[in-house]
Amino acid sequence: MTFDDVIKQVGAFGPYQRRLILLGLFPYLIFAFQFMIPIFILSEHKHRCKDKQTAYPEDNIWVSNASLTSCQTHHFDNVTNTTYDVQCKSWSYDTSEQTSSPISDFDLVCDNAVAKSHVTMAFSFGMLVGALLSGIFGDSFGRKPVVCITLTFLCFSIGCAWAPSAYVLAILRFLTGVGCNLGPLKLIVMEMVGPTWRYFVVSVHEITFTIGEMILCCLAYFVRDWRTLQLTGSVPSVFGLLYVLHIS
């Protein structure tokens, strides 16, 4: 007799399995939010040199990261009668679409633009590390304890709203990425339902991820401050701490 035969005998889709599925869906909403939020908070934030606006008040054009005029300002030397470019030290940011972003708070433009990539990659690296560690420790201690511990890492996403610098934000995004490794959670649910229900389990998890993306889009439309948006979507992650008691 195989494990699937036992599941069929005790119930392929009973109250216990339905409870597991519901418990498994909530983290996917958080995962969708954390996975997709860089699209809204780390996208191009239009900016210009502050001193350029003073030198050329009639030039009221916002430019993106790629434009050279967003990183340099022109100065005229009365002695040599020449114009030369000077690297910008401070910037003004367009607030018509978003009131603030990590780019505007930490000046992630021009020479500092590479830090934006570091923040983005930190999350993916965290997911990779989480996948490796969950596989190793899951075989040694079981998937359920590993899932419970992993979900606690989602709480680091709340700290992102108070990050004082881009590199602190990158560290917190890395730890959040560790918490977004939800593969073991899905496996627990799939193993506990009957074979004919496993396709349904996979589908409902993917649908939940899509719903999470839609919720994020709605929030991002109304919340234009990146710290408020980050906090709004991250606070529900504290409910993941309850999984220590309820995933059993």
Side-chain angles (χ1 to χ4, degrees):
M1 178 176 289
T2 65
F3 181 76
D4 285 345
D5 295 329
V6 174
I7 291 295
K8 292 177 182 179
Q9 291 295 323
V10 300
F13 198 71
Y16 176 73
Q17 288 95 335
R18 292 194 292 270
R19 180 166 67 94
L20 276 181
I21 291 175
L22 290 176
L23 287 172
L25 295 182
F26 173 73
Y28 269 81
L29 292 174
I30 306 299
F31 173 41
F33 185 93
Q34 301 301 332
F35 187 79
M36 301 302 295
I37 193 172
I39 295 177
F40 298 97
I41 68 174
L42 287 172
S43 59
E44 297 291 342
H45 198 160
K46 296 178 180 180
H47 60 280
R48 62 187 170 200
C49 295
K50 281 186 178 179
D51 48 356
K52 181 189 175 186
Q53 185 179 9
T54 302
Y56 298 94
E58 72 281 358
D59 187 5
N60 192 32
I61 300 176
W62 293 99
V63 290
S64 63
N65 258 1
S67 176
L68 180 63
T69 56
S70 67
C71 299
Q72 294 180 332
T73 183
H74 303 289
H75 284 272
F76 181 75
D77 192 331
N78 292 324
V79 177
T80 61
N81 198 30
T82 57
T83 301
Y84 59 94
D85 294 331
V86 177
Q87 195 72 15
C88 292
K89 300 298 182 182
S90 59
W91 295 264
S92 296
Y93 294 89
D94 182 15
T95 58
S96 61
E97 294 183 0
Q98 52 188 147
T99 58
S100 69
S101 70
I103 298 173
S104 63
D105 284 5
F106 309 135
D107 285 332
L108 305 185
V109 294
C110 301
D111 292 341
N112 297 326
V114 66
K116 185 176 69 171
S117 299
H118 295 165
V119 174
T120 304
M121 291 187 297
F123 180 83
S124 299
F125 186 57
M127 290 188 62
L128 174 62
V129 172
L132 294 174
L133 293 180
S134 64
I136 295 173
F137 290 108
D139 292 338
S140 301
F141 304 103
R143 292 196 188 101
K144 293 177 183 178
V146 170
V147 166
C148 293
I149 294 173
T150 299
L151 290 178
T152 61
F153 277 75
L154 288 175
C155 296
F156 284 104
S157 62
I158 300 175
C160 292
W162 285 280
S165 68
Y167 289 100
V168 172
L169 179 61
I171 293 172
L172 292 171
R173 287 286 295 169
F174 167 81
L175 295 173
T176 303
V178 174
C180 285
N181 177 47
L182 301 180
L185 178 61
K186 183 188 291 186
L187 286 175
I188 290 175
V189 179
M190 290 181 62
E191 289 176 347
M192 297 307 297
V193 300
T196 58
W197 286 97
R198 286 170 186 164
Y199 179 78
F200 170 78
V201 170
V202 174
S203 299
V204 76
H205 278 82
E206 298 303 323
I207 292 172
T208 303
F209 183 87
T210 303
I211 294 174
E213 292 178 314
M214 296 170 63
I215 294 173
L216 172 60
C217 291
C218 294
L219 286 174
Y221 181 81
F222 293 103
V223 181
R224 301 304 178 95
D225 176 77
W226 80 273
R227 294 183 187 272
T228 304
L229 178 62
Q230 178 72 46
L231 187 61
T232 302
S234 300
V235 165
S237 63
V238 298
F239 291 105
L241 300 176
L242 300 176
Y243 280 51
V244 178
L245 300 175
H246 292 286
I247 291 187
S248 60

